[in-house]
Every structure is written in structure tokens, then in C-alpha cells.
Amino acid sequence: MSDERLFSLRNRWFTVTVGGMLALVAFSTAVGFIWLPSAQSDQPFQGVWNAICSAAGVPQQWLRASSATPVPLVQTSAVAMTPQLLAQPSSTSIGRGATLSMRCTMCHGVRGMSDANSPNLAGQYSSVIYKQLLDFQSGARRNAVMSPMVSNLSDQDMRDLSAYYAYLPRPVALRSDAAPVVPVPDIVSGGAPMRNIASCASCHGGIDHKAGSPWLEGMPAAYTRAQLQAFANDTRHNDINEQMRNVARNMTPEEIDAAAAYYAGAQP
């Protein structure tokens, strides 16, 4: 049998082999360069062209004249803890904040202490309150009540409100004298290093305080529990660098309940 006849399209085995190889290459290319990248939820992989470029390792901006900035699928907080933000507010700012706070009393109480399972704001760090207000306004954090409430606030309004609530005396944990002393849960005092969980007290007070982290003593248990659950299931995502989401995802429901009850001062 001559080489000419062996590699001829008239040779049925040659035709089947070449056709099968071409089909396999086409299938592998479609799976590796289109289907698998397209199955990713990240913005850079959206669309067939983006999927092909990403799978091939080719920067998309090389292949087109202009590259629009991709819109993130989830809006996150853009607030930075600067020295200016952490500076002590003026008495004028506190006074203006007291006037503005009149619209907040229904949920957060007349003196910043909530009776509605909303967060207590009295004595909270002004930088924490300001960040949350700004996140509600930008959409990084969403709430059916808070989002419309802050929509028309100016930046100075939010700073003044934060200054006023930070000025109010901080409450103590709501423990009655008759109730037994609640031991500090392990998740609060020591965390869970094997699950990459730092202790709550290392950021929220007790051991240390991290700028931008709220103090939690006396916070309603229902509120704290709801926020930890929201971080865990990614319905709240305004934490910087996913710090709280990474912690909450690895916490058990029992640890969430224990931490919330402890900070509220109730028996877990």
C-alpha cells in the first residue's frame, strides 16, 4: 500500500481518524475556552468573547481599542478609615446631629437605645456609624428602612449624626443582678484558629479594638444574630475585604447564637 493511498481521503480509516481528531479538538476547545469560563460567575468571564480571552490568558484590552471598567456584581463598601474620619468631632457637629437624630428615634430610641431590636447607637464609634450610613446611601448595604432614610442626607449630615450618637453615654450589657453570670463563649474569647476564625474580642473590644469595628456590648441579640447570618449567607457584603463574611461563614449556628446572646447580656 503506497503512502499516497494511505493518506488519501478515499481511505475510510484515514478519514474516520482525522475526522474524529478534529471533532475531539473542536469539542475540547469549546469546553475549555467557552463553556467552562462562561460557567464562572465573575464579571471578567461574562460573554463568549470574554470567556475565550480569559481562558487563553490574553488581556481583553489588548484585543479591543477601549476597555470599559467592569461593573462589579456585588457593590461593596468604599469607605476608608482615615485619620480625618477618626478625629474628634466638634460641639457644633454634635449639636446638629442631635437635631437630625429626631427622625431616628422610632427605631433607635430617644437616647440611642433601641426597644425594637435595632442596633443601639449610644456611645458607638462615630466612624462606625458614618461608614454604615454611607454604605446605606451608596447601596453597599441595603435595608428597606435605612436605605430611603439616608438617601437625602448630605455627607455633613451623616458626620453630624455619627458625632452625636458617639457622644451619648455607652450602655452596659443588659444583665440583671439575679441572672447567673454568663461565661464568655470560646468563640468570643479565643475564636476558632483551626477554622481561621479570630476571636470576636480581638476586633470588637475586650482584647483589642480595630478601627471601623463596632463595639457590641449591650447590642440586641436578635440584631447581632441577624447580621452574622447575613454575613454568612452573603446577603450583607459591606465588610472591608470580606473580613466578617470569612468569619461568619465558618461559624456554627450555635456559635452565632452564643456570641449574640453573650453580647446582649442574656443567657445563651
Side-chain angles (χ1 to χ4, degrees):
M1 182 180 294
S2 66
D3 290 345
E4 180 180 357
R5 185 175 179 184
L6 178 64
F7 296 105
S8 171
L9 293 178
R10 295 179 180 178
N11 185 334
R12 181 168 61 90
W13 296 108
F14 174 76
T15 303
V16 170
T17 302
V18 172
M21 288 296 296
L22 292 176
L24 182 61
V25 169
F27 176 77
S28 301
T29 301
V31 171
F33 283 84
I34 299 177
W35 183 75
L36 285 178
S38 297
Q40 305 296 319
S41 59
D42 297 335
Q43 181 68 25
F45 296 103
Q46 300 303 306
V48 174
W49 182 248
N50 291 342
I52 293 174
C53 292
S54 299
V58 179
Q60 298 168 27
Q61 57 267 30
W62 288 5
L63 303 178
R64 54 189 178 191
S66 62
S67 177
T69 302
V71 179
L73 297 178
V74 175
Q75 187 170 358
T76 55
S77 177
V79 180
M81 293 294 122
T82 62
Q84 293 76 16
L85 184 59
L86 300 174
Q88 291 295 323
S90 66
S91 57
T92 302
S93 180
I94 294 172
R96 288 193 72 250
T99 302
L100 291 168
S101 71
M102 292 296 101
R103 61 186 299 190
C104 311
T105 56
M106 182 175 293
C107 294
H108 296 287
V110 176
R111 297 284 291 174
M113 292 297 295
S114 173
D115 292 323
N117 284 331
S118 297
N120 297 324
L121 300 181
Q124 184 61 269
Y125 302 109
S126 60
S127 58
V128 170
I129 299 175
Y130 173 75
K131 177 186 182 302
Q132 298 308 315
L133 290 174
L134 204 61
D135 286 347
F136 278 126
Q137 190 176 74
S138 69
R141 184 179 178 185
R142 297 182 182 276
N143 180 271
V145 175
M146 284 301 302
S147 296
M149 286 288 288
V150 302
S151 60
N152 294 322
L153 292 179
S154 68
D155 184 76
Q156 189 60 51
D157 289 340
M158 291 186 281
R159 291 178 184 272
D160 293 340
L161 275 169
S162 304
Y164 168 69
Y165 280 115
Y167 170 78
L168 295 176
R170 182 177 296 181
V172 296
L174 305 179
R175 296 185 175 92
S176 66
D177 294 336
V181 176
V182 179
V184 182
D186 291 339
I187 197 68
V188 172
S189 61
M194 296 302 293
R195 284 179 283 143
N196 200 29
I197 301 177
S199 66
C200 305
S202 63
C203 291
H204 297 282
I207 296 177
D208 199 359
H209 169 253
K210 185 174 184 179
S213 300
W215 66 265
L216 300 177
E217 285 288 339
M219 199 67 72
Y223 174 78
T224 304
R225 183 184 302 108
Q227 299 314 303
L228 286 172
Q229 291 169 345
F231 279 127
N233 60 33
D234 210 31
T235 55
R236 178 177 172 182
H237 38 70
N238 70 318
D239 52 327
I240 298 174
N241 296 327
E242 297 192 34
Q243 293 173 349
M244 277 306 305
R245 279 174 285 176
N246 289 333
V247 168
R249 288 167 186 154
N250 292 323
M251 291 177 69
T252 66
E254 293 76 19
E255 288 171 337
I256 289 177
D257 290 341
Y262 169 76
Y263 279 114
Q267 182 72 35

